[in-house]
Amino acid sequence: MKIITVLGARPQFIKAAPLSEELRKSHEELLVHTGQHYDYQMSDVFFEELGIPKPHYFLGVGSKQHGAQTGEMLKGVEEILLKEKPDWVLVYGDTNSTLAGALAAAKLHIPIAHVEAGLRSYNRQMPEEVNRVLTDHVSELLFCPSDQAVKNLSLEGLTRGVVRTGDVMADALFYHARRAEDRQPSAPKYLQKSYLLATVHRAENTDNPQRLEGILKAFAQIEGKIVLPLHPRTKKLLQDYHLTIPDNVEVIEPVGYLEMILLEKEAELILTDSGGVQKEAYLWQVPCVTLRDETEWVETVQTGWNTLAGAKMEEIISAVRCYRGKSLPPYQDNLYGNGRASEEIVAHMEKRG
């Protein structure tokens, strides 16, 4: 088989690492990097660390308004598909790169495999929700990370081509855990669970100065050091809004995947608006406070390892105190698979030809 994989953002590079390796054992895979994340710390470092082949095509789209960015990606991917004539187009997750790759393939009648299908926040104000819904509805194979994702698709009438494979991010975490543990974080003080780890990058928080300010006010009231790898876009908006980072928050540059998962593993608690970090927190058995009003990863909340706190100062502080004041719930193995999702995905693609 000849597969075109369309990537563009940090989480997709992580997801692609184990699956790309599995595909390349028997098939031809060409990587298309849209350039959605384009600086070294948000892109190149992941290819280097995770052993992902250098992209065959780089569109260099960069940061733009959603319509302009998606349209430029769609045009670029379409030209590549017309030239390469692949058997499959493979897309991951819910970014503009995901949607552009899926739409380009659908219009050319090339079958689409969607990895991380079936996730729903049921918040159509999120661009990611629009992207994932549209991508699922044009895909031939829908690879779901969880039972809930399968149920979500069934509610929308999607049952054909739906496969519960487990989560490729679990594959990546288990695969790279030993390498990560051989490394040290950027400073020795980030060890022994003596800090909380935070990430803030999602548009619903960063594009709303009131929400961003509420999160920072909560951070200021939380006892202990909070380590914050600062997303470039968040950094710019903090300056635009004239918001000050609290003294107990130590800002560091964005880190590579191996360092990030080690920081997650060694944290006392994680505060995040990232979907992937919520999952990784669960897999590391670290409690998580999600800085959103809803989550696609509902299993982490149902098991008690994740609390939705939104951007309200009081709710964030209360959630942190609650985790610090009680025993952690029982941990459920295999919630997101057994670390062999990549093998299952390739097997199902081969079966469908």
Side-chain angles (χ1 to χ4, degrees):
M1 292 187 301
K2 184 177 185 179
I3 300 104
I4 293 275
T5 296
V6 181
L7 305 166
R10 173 191 183 276
Q12 294 168 331
F13 309 146
I14 297 166
K15 296 165 193 170
L19 181 49
S20 181
E21 181 174 317
E22 190 67 27
L23 280 169
R24 295 194 314 270
K25 289 179 181 178
S26 304
H27 306 286
E28 180 185 6
E29 184 192 29
L30 302 180
L31 297 180
V32 176
H33 188 336
T34 66
Q36 185 169 338
H37 282 171
Y38 48 87
D39 68 7
Y40 176 79
Q41 289 295 339
M42 299 300 290
S43 176
D44 293 2
V45 67
F46 291 95
F47 283 82
E48 293 172 9
E49 282 191 341
L50 304 182
I52 307 171
K54 184 178 178 181
H56 296 79
Y57 296 94
F58 182 75
L59 301 182
V61 173
S63 180
K64 291 178 173 63
Q65 291 293 325
H66 284 284
Q69 187 183 63
T70 307
E72 196 169 327
M73 291 174 182
L74 177 58
K75 179 178 182 293
V77 173
E78 182 180 61
E79 291 173 355
I80 294 167
L81 298 183
L82 287 168
K83 175 185 175 183
E84 296 290 350
K85 298 179 173 54
D87 300 299
W88 286 92
V89 169
L90 181 66
V91 295
Y92 292 83
D94 54 20
T95 69
N96 289 341
S97 300
T98 309
L99 180 60
L103 287 177
K107 289 176 180 293
L108 294 173
H109 309 293
I110 300 169
I112 303 149
H114 184 200
V115 176
E116 209 174 72
L119 300 187
R120 295 293 183 268
S121 68
Y122 296 102
N123 177 3
R124 292 291 179 92
Q125 298 301 308
M126 295 172 56
E128 294 90 349
E129 182 78 355
V130 175
N131 291 343
R132 62 174 72 106
V133 171
L134 294 175
T135 300
D136 282 340
H137 280 264
V138 296
S139 293
E140 183 81 12
L141 283 173
L142 299 105
F143 296 122
C144 297
S146 64
D147 293 335
Q148 184 62 49
V150 173
K151 292 176 185 176
N152 292 341
L153 292 175
S154 179
L155 291 172
E156 296 174 17
L158 295 176
T159 56
R160 182 177 177 273
V162 174
V163 186
R164 199 275 198 190
T165 58
D167 189 1
V168 289
M169 285 195 80
D171 288 23
L173 191 72
F174 299 148
Y175 182 80
H176 292 291
R178 185 172 298 172
R179 291 178 60 211
E181 289 169 352
D182 288 339
R183 296 189 171 207
Q184 294 295 320
S186 54
K189 58 189 172 185
Y190 302 142
L191 293 174
Q192 308 303 323
K193 301 192 183 297
S194 60
Y195 63 95
L196 288 74
L197 179 66
T199 71
V200 184
H201 78 276
R202 213 170 265 271
E204 65 190 274
N205 288 327
T206 60
D207 291 358
N208 186 322
Q210 288 75 35
R211 287 181 68 93
L212 196 52
E213 184 177 22
I215 290 168
L216 292 176
K217 284 183 175 179
F219 287 0
Q221 297 297 316
I222 294 171
E223 182 179 347
K225 177 70 71 178
I226 299 174
V227 177
L228 175 64
L230 191 58
H231 192 286
R233 186 168 174 277
T234 307
K235 181 178 181 179
K236 178 183 182 302
L237 290 170
L238 286 170
Q239 295 169 347
D240 292 347
Y241 301 150
H242 305 290
L243 293 175
T244 303
I245 295 174
D247 291 340
N248 66 321
V249 175
E250 180 148 356
V251 172
I252 63 174
E253 292 295 318
V255 296
Y257 177 65
L258 297 183
E259 187 168 339
M260 185 63 183
I261 62 174
L262 187 55
L263 286 169
E264 292 167 358
K265 181 173 185 271
E266 297 299 332
E268 173 195 350
L269 183 144
I270 292 172
L271 303 116
T272 186
D273 59 9
S274 162
V277 174
Q278 291 174 56
K279 276 186 301 177
E280 288 162 355
Y282 180 81
L283 293 167
W284 282 133
Q285 301 183 44
V286 174
C288 181
V289 174
T290 294
L291 309 172
R292 290 172 54 195
D293 300 318
E294 67 282 309
T295 180
E296 306 78 43
W297 303 103
V298 295
E299 305 87 0
T300 61
V301 177
Q302 292 167 349
T303 58
W305 284 84
N306 187 8
T307 298
L308 297 176
K312 294 181 180 178
M313 179 181 73
E314 298 83 1
E315 294 189 20
I316 297 169
I317 294 169
S318 174
V320 172
R321 287 175 177 166
C322 185
Y323 276 123
R324 283 175 158 172
K326 69 175 184 181
S327 300
L328 292 171
Y331 181 75
Q332 296 183 26
D333 289 324
N334 206 29
L335 193 63
Y336 294 116
N338 58 8
R340 302 179 67 117
S342 298
E343 295 175 31
E344 288 200 41
I345 288 169
V346 173
H348 281 281
M349 291 178 72
E350 289 173 342
K351 191 181 298 184
R352 294 294 285 267

